[in-house]
Each structure stands twice: as C-alpha cells, then as structure tokens.
Amino acid sequence: MDKHFLHIKDLSLEEIHELISLAKDLKTKFQNKEDFKHFHNKSLAMIFAKPSARTRISFETGFTWMGGHALFLGPNDIGIGKREAIKDIARVVSRYNDMIMARLFDHAHIIELAKHSDSPVVNGLTDYNHPCQVMADILTINEHRDSLDNLHVCYVGDGNNVVHSWLQLTLRLPMKFTCVCPEGFSPDEDTVKLAQENTNSEIVITHDPIGGVKGADVIYTDVWTSMGQKEEAEEREKLFADFQVNNDMITRTGKETLFMHCLPAERGRETTDEVMEADYSIVFDQAENRLHAQNAIMVALTS
Ligand code: CP
Ligand code: NVA
C-alpha cells in the first residue's frame, strides 16, 4: 500500500482484495471480543472540518479496540487552513500522533496534509471523494453476494464524492457502474473519462431514472445536497424529484436488487421509509462495515 490512504485508485486490485479479506478477519475478531492490540501505545488524530456520526464513531471505536488512543479534533479545534498553514499542522500533528484521519472540505488540503505528514493520513471524506465509504461498501456487497464478478451497481442521485470513489473502484474491479443523475449533476468529467477509458468496466452516465436502473444488482443513493451545499436544498429538491429511490424504482431493475445508502439518509427525499426498512436494504450492514473496513485500512498502512 501507499504510505497514505487518500483515493481508491491508489490501490491495486490485489490490495483491494487483501483489504476485504483482512476486514473480514478483523470483523470476526471484533465480534468475538478478541484482543488485537496492533496499536498499543499508538495514537490517532481525527481531524473533522465537517460533521460526522459514522466516521467519527467507527474510527474512534476501531482504534481504541486495537489498543490505541484516538483524539477528536473538531472544526473549532484546529481550523485547518485558517488558523495555521496545513503544512505546519501536518508536521506538528505527525510528531504527536502515529496516524491522522481527516475529513476536510477541499480535496487539495488532504493532499497537502499527506505531503507534509510523517504519519500515514487516511481520507475520511472530502468534497471530492469518500474512499473509506467505498471500501466498506464493497465489503458489504461481497458479504451479500457469493462473488464480485459481473456486478452492476447503479447509483441514483447527485454525482458527488461517493460516486467519484465508486468510479475509481471501477478502474480496478471490473463491473458495470451506472450513475443516474439529473442533468447538471453529473460526476466530475475527468474522473468519468478516466473510468470510461478503462475497458474492463462499463460506465454509463444517464439522466433517465426509468431505463437507467434496469438490470442493477445494487441501487445506491446518497443525499441530494452534501455537507457544505445545504443552502441549495430547496432548489435541488425540485430538480431531483424523479430520482427518488422508492419501491417502484427498485422494482424497475427487473431483478433482485440490494439497496445501499452511505447514510445519513434524508427519508422522504432521496429515498423512502419503505425502502430503508425493506428486506433488500443493507444500509445498516454497510454502516457497520465502516468499522471493519477502516480497521483493515489502518492495519494495512502500518504492516
Ligand atoms: N457515511 C458517513 O461518512 O457518515 P458520517 O458523515 O456520519 O460520518
Ligand atoms: N455526499 C455526502 C456523504 C456523507 C457521508 C456528503 O458529502 O455530505
């Protein structure tokens, strides 16, 4: 593995499979309450410029279970890029802490943080991507399907940070990936182009919520307005109205389909209570697997 965990595209296919396998192993150990003190006497700095439930709780719980100490640093503690230069923060924090997890706005800031940090940096979400999420997602799909071969994942909604990490996963893991989004809300052009140039996967970007979902093994959605965009919520609600993942849409795949959402969900907007609570919804397995996927990432970075 690279020194840092910043993007899915930085991993090889072999490393992705190794992370999935390590995550399964650590999940069993965690569930059996086994001792696994890989991070004894080590500390993790968790820098959050944005809110979080899953990321904060799973990183802190995981690092603590593995024998270490995790520090929560919220938006008012560090003021990354405001109170002090990022390159100064990187050098100071990495003298105290063995690993840094950061959730930041600007993707360039996490690159800068990693560039100047002596300790491994894990990307806990930026405006551009969310690689820890997608490692948890693929682990979850793997647990629910015998194999990752011939997978068709259809993402419905805003072409956002989660989609960019999925597009990067398609560079390594062959699959069909469809993004069904309103016009004007497609994912980043360069990321799509890179994914489409890779002929091992099939990438479809469409604005058709009826035909686009056909044949999908997984329908995945996320909020229509990400953190930092909430002032656009009202306007987007109208533009995204046909893109709600409801039971009708799931039926239109024409096959047995799993429903996924990175959470937090805004029930009644991008999806419904009925879908969230359905038998085919695996959103809570997905949330649980954040813990195990990230434990694997942190162990792999230090092994
Ligand atoms: N999915 C996810 O990253 O959740 P949080 O924003 O609550 O951390
Ligand atoms: N796209 C969402 C993901 C939250 C986990 C956001 O960035 O707010």
Side-chain angles (χ1 to χ4, degrees):
M1 289 244 293
D2 267 20
K3 178 177 170 190
H4 307 290
F5 181 79
L6 302 178
H7 313 98
I8 300 283
K9 72 172 165 58
D10 302 338
L11 301 169
S12 65
L13 179 59
E14 197 187 353
E15 285 168 336
I16 291 170
H17 282 302
E18 280 167 9
L19 282 176
I20 294 173
S21 158
L22 180 58
K24 287 181 179 170
D25 181 36
L26 294 175
K27 182 171 181 172
T28 307
K29 284 189 167 58
F30 182 86
Q31 288 175 334
N32 293 338
K33 306 219 176 295
E34 283 177 41
D35 272 348
F36 180 73
K37 302 296 181 206
H38 182 87
F39 289 112
H40 176 64
N41 275 346
K42 300 274 163 69
S43 62
L44 167 73
M46 305 188 299
I47 302 174
F48 283 94
K50 299 183 182 190
S52 166
R54 280 142 291 273
T55 306
R56 191 253 163 109
I57 299 168
S58 54
F59 268 103
E60 184 165 339
T61 304
F63 203 80
T64 307
W65 170 62
M66 294 190 283
H69 173 67
L71 298 83
F72 173 75
L73 301 154
N76 296 328
D77 295 314
I78 287 212
I80 198 145
K82 291 182 200 144
R83 184 165 180 262
E84 192 167 359
I86 293 165
K87 60 185 172 191
D88 293 351
I89 283 287
R91 284 172 287 184
V92 170
V93 176
S94 63
R95 288 201 184 196
Y96 299 135
N97 304 117
D98 304 281
M99 194 173 298
I100 301 174
M101 190 288 302
R103 165 169 286 194
L104 306 178
F105 285 88
D106 190 339
H107 192 67
H109 288 177
I110 201 149
I111 307 272
E112 172 90 353
L113 186 70
K115 185 175 164 198
H116 296 281
S117 169
D118 289 330
S119 304
V121 172
V122 178
N123 178 352
L125 178 147
T126 66
D127 287 347
Y128 175 64
N129 69 350
H130 199 0
C132 289
Q133 180 66 54
V134 168
M135 282 312 303
D137 297 343
I138 200 64
L139 167 64
T140 311
I141 294 173
N142 193 218
E143 287 175 339
H144 282 267
R145 268 178 127 240
D146 292 338
S147 130
L148 291 174
D149 294 343
N150 301 316
L151 182 66
H152 180 187
V153 175
C154 177
Y155 175 96
V156 182
D158 181 30
N160 63 16
N161 42 11
V162 172
V163 182
H164 298 149
S165 286
W166 266 100
L167 285 167
Q168 291 200 351
L169 183 65
T170 72
L171 295 172
R172 304 289 174 258
L173 191 69
M175 70 175 83
K176 179 169 179 183
F177 182 80
T178 306
C179 176
V180 180
C181 54
E183 277 179 54
F185 296 91
S186 295
D188 170 65
E189 253 177 52
D190 290 344
T191 309
V192 171
K193 192 163 167 266
L194 191 68
Q196 284 178 334
E197 278 166 7
N198 161 37
T199 50
N200 290 330
S201 289
E202 183 186 346
I203 310 298
V204 179
I205 310 293
T206 168
H207 308 303
D208 170 15
I210 311 270
V213 302
K214 280 217 173 67
D217 299 302
V218 174
I219 290 205
Y220 193 126
T221 193
D222 184 12
V223 287
W224 290 339
T225 49
S226 286
M227 291 178 273
Q229 305 172 326
K230 295 298 176 192
E231 71 287 352
E232 296 173 30
E234 213 179 302
E235 193 196 331
R236 285 186 179 220
E237 207 158 323
K238 290 175 220 139
L239 300 168
F240 281 75
D242 293 338
F243 294 81
Q244 183 185 69
V245 179
N246 48 38
N247 206 36
D248 275 357
M249 180 183 277
I250 301 270
T251 315
R252 291 205 294 269
T253 62
K255 63 196 287 192
E256 267 188 39
T257 302
L258 298 169
F259 171 68
M260 299 181 79
H261 192 312
C262 57
L263 306 181
E266 295 190 13
R267 291 170 183 240
R269 291 197 171 91
E270 75 274 6
T271 191
T272 61
D273 275 328
E274 191 184 16
V275 167
M276 287 284 288
E277 304 297 339
D279 289 346
Y280 54 70
S281 166
I282 56 170
V283 298
F284 299 109
D285 294 342
Q286 202 183 338
E288 177 189 344
N289 278 336
R290 290 292 303 279
L291 172 67
H292 311 299
Q294 290 158 192
N295 285 351
I297 291 163
M298 293 192 286
V299 168
L301 285 171
T302 49
S303 297

